[in-house]
């Protein structure tokens, strides 16, 4: 076990917290040729209890018509107290992608088309995951392609050791960012958008960093653009059923050391 991961595990044990697997939904398809995997990494101090856009994207993602399989995974954001915990999330996501590309004993079709979506520091994590998977991180040739990387307002503070450039070759990419001068809270000074290189940027005016991950009228352009780009890459989203507006909340150690069990998203 990596030294950092061992440290996090000890923290979890000391708090009496058991870390379940990431939230996962899998459907079985008659053909593996179009089996998809969608991996969503949330931002700092963010989780589904805040009813935010990233957890909604996880809920809305659906199998494409025609019998294609879909495996989808969601990773809660890191705690701001321990920013380097992002290494754990990156390692988990790489491991999951490598495993999903092989398939599962229960008959789940191996993933062949991969998409990644990340918000804030989770966006920088998503870039790092994509690069590692494509640069031999699975330890063997991967019979799958990363077809889409979608980034929402990347932030590199506390995670500057992660990749700031997406390696060329992903067929469809986008990063949606706020206006650099727009700020409604002092903490946005620490959340200065970091533009990931090799990914085209689209500026959404008049909206702050936190609201970009919210289910609110003001954030509708972010939701519309990220889903449209993912759909152009071949992913599908069912009805956008909103479960109220997102709520802000302080980060918690529990959210940092665990990832969702399927029953949490309902």
């Amino acid at each position: 076990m990596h030294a950092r991961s061992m440290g996090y595990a000890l923290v979890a044990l000391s708090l009496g917290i058991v870390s379940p697997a990431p939230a996962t939904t899998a459907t079985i398809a008659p053909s593996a040729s179009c089996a998809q995997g969608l991996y969503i990494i949330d931002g700092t101090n963010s989780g589904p209890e805040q009813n935010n856009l990233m957890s909604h994207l996880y809920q809305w993602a659906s199998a494409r018509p025609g019998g294609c399989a879909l495996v989808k995974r969601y990773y809660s954001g890191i705690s701001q107290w321990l920013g380097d915990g992002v290494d754990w999330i990156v390692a988990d996501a790489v491991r999951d992608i490598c495993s999903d590309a092989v398939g599962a004993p229960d008959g789940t079709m191996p993933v062949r088309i991969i998409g990644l979506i990340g918000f804030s520091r989770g966006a920088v994590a998503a870039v790092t995951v994509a690069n590692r998977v494509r640069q031999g991180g699975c330890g063997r040739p991967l019979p799958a392609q990363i077809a889409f990387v979608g980034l929402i307002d990347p932030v590199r503070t506390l995670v500057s050791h992660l990749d700031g450039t997406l390696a060329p070759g992903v067929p469809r990419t986008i990063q949606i960012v706020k206006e650099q001068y727009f700020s409604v809270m002092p903490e946005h000074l620490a959340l200065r958008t970091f533009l990931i290189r090799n990914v085209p940027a689209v500026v959404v005016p008049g909206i702050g960093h936190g609201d970009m991950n919210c289910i609110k009228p003001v954030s509708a352009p972010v939701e519309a653009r990220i889903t449209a780009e993912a759909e152009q890459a071949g992913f599908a989203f069912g009805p956008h059923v909103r479960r109220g507006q997102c709520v802000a909340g302080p980060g918690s150690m529990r959210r940092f050391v665990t990832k969702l069990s399927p029953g949490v998203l309902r």
Side-chain angles (χ1 to χ4, degrees):
M1 180 182 293
H2 192 283
R4 282 179 174 166
S5 297
M6 181 175 292
Y8 306 145
L10 291 174
V11 171
L13 289 173
S14 68
L15 295 176
I17 297 170
V18 177
S19 179
T24 308
T25 300
T27 56
I28 310 302
S31 171
S33 62
C34 62
Q36 298 175 310
L38 184 63
Y39 305 83
I40 297 174
I41 307 177
D42 218 329
T44 309
N45 298 339
S46 296
E49 66 272 29
Q50 294 169 339
N51 204 30
N52 60 18
L53 175 58
M54 298 298 286
S55 60
H56 275 65
L57 289 174
Y58 171 86
Q59 294 170 350
W60 298 335
S62 59
R64 289 169 52 195
C68 293
L70 173 69
V71 173
K72 54 183 181 178
R73 296 182 184 270
Y74 171 94
Y75 305 86
S76 290
I78 64 171
S79 167
Q80 197 163 14
W81 299 342
L82 297 167
D84 61 352
V86 72
D87 295 328
W88 193 10
I89 295 174
V90 167
D92 283 353
V94 170
R95 182 199 63 225
D96 291 338
I97 290 173
C98 297
S99 175
D100 293 341
V102 174
D106 64 4
T108 303
M109 293 296 178
V111 164
R112 291 293 176 261
I113 303 169
I114 298 165
L116 285 151
I117 300 176
F119 168 67
S120 191
R121 293 181 179 100
V124 182
V127 170
T128 304
V129 170
N131 286 344
R132 292 186 184 177
V133 167
R134 297 167 65 224
Q135 294 168 356
C138 294
R140 60 182 183 277
L142 195 68
Q145 177 191 31
I146 295 182
F148 175 66
V149 174
L151 312 174
I152 301 176
D153 215 30
V155 170
R156 211 165 174 221
T157 310
L158 299 180
V159 295
S160 58
H161 61 291
L162 295 186
D163 296 352
T165 301
L166 179 66
V170 177
R172 195 166 195 94
T173 60
I174 187 174
Q175 61 179 323
I176 303 170
V177 299
K178 64 180 181 297
E179 291 176 301
Q180 294 300 296
Y181 63 82
F182 187 85
S183 180
V184 294
M185 293 185 294
E187 55 264 35
H188 285 188
L189 296 175
L191 296 176
R192 183 177 181 275
T193 297
F194 176 87
L195 292 179
I196 299 294
R197 291 177 289 274
N198 288 346
V199 183
V202 174
V203 177
V204 177
I207 181 173
H209 178 80
D211 283 338
M212 296 189 83
N213 194 27
C214 276
I215 298 297
K216 293 181 177 179
V218 70
S219 59
V222 178
E223 172 194 322
R225 190 61 186 262
I226 197 72
T227 54
E229 292 293 329
E231 286 169 348
Q232 287 293 319
F235 293 88
F237 295 88
H240 294 197
V241 179
R242 294 164 182 79
R243 305 179 188 278
Q245 295 189 0
C246 73
V247 294
S252 68
M253 182 63 71
R254 180 174 180 81
R255 192 154 58 240
F256 164 61
V257 299
T258 69
K259 287 182 287 297
L260 281 74
S261 60
V264 174
L265 292 175
R266 59 182 181 274

